[in-house]
Amino acid sequence: MTSNWAEAFYEMQYRSLKQTGEITEYEMNFAKDLRMQVGRPLGSVLELGAWDGRLARTLAGDAETITTVELIPEMVAVAKRHSTSNITPLCGDFYDIEISSTFNTVLYMDGFGVGEDEDQLALLERIRNWFDDDGTAIIDIYNPTHWIKADGQSMRPDSVNFPKVERQYGYDYKKNKMVDTWWHTDKPQDSVSQYLKCYTPEQIHALCQKAELDIIAYFPNGAMDYNAWRYKDIASLEECMSYRIKIKKN
Ligand SMILES: C[S@@+](CC[C@H](N)C(=O)[O-])C[C@H]1O[C@@H](n2cnc3c(N)ncnc32)[C@H](O)[C@@H]1O
């Protein structure tokens, strides 16, 4: 299932930030946290929703192999241009791409929640089938408590380099989805949005159980304080924007 908004949104987001696959200190720190959270050698890795492959490239020295899956051809082209020999970038939809190998580690950073509960369940079941016997996955889950507070907040994602790109957060209370709308100030009528389903730790636990997966750790990410307009790197599981779950077959 490819959601009808995903291609337009992520393509616009990528083009707006004019990214070219560069690895920054952000990716280095991100990779350091991930290695610690995985807690053992990465082995063979499958990364879903891999953007332009920058995280894969940051982790390449620590993994035997990395296979990445990304929907947007433009990002996959950048990933292919910069890949090391142990990275295989695939262009496709993680809901239906055929991958017959199994992996020690599956990663899906920032983006889980496209579609409805049955889509998330289907993806969790696919992830389970991609596991080796000792397979674990790390997945970022959006936290509803935070996104309800973010409802109505507007900002420029990068006011220095791209002052004409604006963004507004909303919340769909019926479907428990965060809504993230981007537009260019000179073309506000061409706005695009992403809609990501948010889950409390209890709700994602119940969904994982349905997919015969156990959550063996929760790692809160940071939180934006909208009153002080400041991002805090350290936040509780209650207040964080998203948290990581570490899962394995039960
Ligand atoms: C919010 S971005 C996160 C990118 C990257 N993982 C990160 O942490 O910066 C979500 C990514 O998932 C990709 N994506 C969304 N739906 C997808 C699908 N059905 N199959 C493959 N990739 C998908 C998007 O194109 C985008 O690159």
Side-chain angles (χ1 to χ4, degrees):
M1 188 231 55
T2 309
S3 178
N4 50 10
W5 55 261
E7 292 190 42
F9 177 83
Y10 293 116
E11 190 180 81
M12 183 277 194
Q13 190 182 35
Y14 192 66
R15 287 182 183 170
S16 296
L17 299 176
K18 297 192 177 59
Q19 299 203 327
T20 51
E22 63 281 11
I23 291 173
T24 64
E25 204 183 331
Y26 174 81
E27 278 77 32
M28 303 295 281
N29 289 333
F30 196 105
K32 197 165 126 199
D33 286 349
L34 260 182
R35 281 192 293 265
M36 218 166 56
Q37 290 161 351
V38 173
R40 54 146 175 73
L42 298 177
S44 54
V45 177
L46 173 65
E47 190 198 351
L48 306 175
W51 198 249
D52 61 12
R54 62 185 66 196
L55 177 64
R57 285 194 293 290
T58 317
L59 292 172
D62 300 298
E64 284 162 23
T65 59
I66 307 190
T67 302
T68 61
V69 179
E70 171 52 54
L71 190 62
I72 308 299
E74 200 170 313
M75 297 189 203
V76 180
V78 174
K80 284 186 173 162
R81 225 167 24 244
H82 298 287
S83 277
T84 55
S85 60
N86 63 339
I87 303 179
T88 307
L90 302 177
C91 188
D93 181 341
F94 49 55
Y95 286 113
D96 58 25
I97 194 167
E98 293 292 334
I99 300 175
S100 52
S101 324
T102 56
F103 302 87
N104 303 119
T105 309
V106 180
L107 303 175
Y108 184 9
M109 314 323 304
D110 186 16
F112 184 84
V114 176
E116 308 307 324
D117 284 345
E118 53 271 27
D119 301 306
Q120 319 313 336
L121 182 57
L123 185 59
L124 289 170
E125 286 168 347
R126 299 204 90 199
I127 289 173
R128 189 181 192 283
N129 289 331
W130 283 320
F131 277 161
D132 262 352
D133 288 342
D134 71 337
T136 52
I138 304 265
I139 306 175
D140 280 326
I141 308 293
Y142 274 48
N143 178 17
T145 321
H146 182 93
W147 291 103
I148 287 169
K149 280 192 233 154
D151 186 10
Q153 297 291 339
S154 321
M155 69 214 74
R156 296 205 166 112
D158 183 346
S159 56
V160 176
N161 297 309
F162 308 110
K164 288 186 165 187
V165 180
E166 292 208 25
R167 169 184 217 177
Q168 183 166 42
Y169 292 142
Y171 197 80
D172 178 337
Y173 289 82
K174 247 194 189 144
K175 296 189 166 172
N176 272 317
K177 290 183 181 184
M178 66 81 80
V179 184
D180 177 17
T181 302
W182 287 52
W183 67 93
H184 290 252
T185 47
D186 42 8
K187 280 193 183 165
Q189 69 281 9
D190 292 343
S191 68
V192 286
S193 303
Q194 70 172 332
Y195 307 84
L196 295 179
K197 180 86 198 253
C198 303
Y199 294 95
T200 63
E202 295 74 22
Q203 289 166 335
I204 198 67
H205 171 263
L207 204 63
C208 285
Q209 288 293 299
K210 278 193 194 166
E212 298 180 26
L213 294 164
D214 280 339
I215 300 181
I216 54 173
Y218 292 88
F219 305 105
N221 292 317
M224 185 70 189
D225 176 341
Y226 295 103
N227 293 323
W229 205 252
R230 198 160 35 87
Y231 182 76
K232 299 189 289 184
D233 284 332
I234 297 175
S236 66
L237 194 54
E238 172 73 15
E239 67 174 344
C240 61
M241 293 177 99
S242 63
Y243 53 91
R244 291 189 181 153
I245 53 168
K246 181 172 177 178
I247 55 179
K248 65 173 188 55
K249 286 183 190 176
N250 65 15

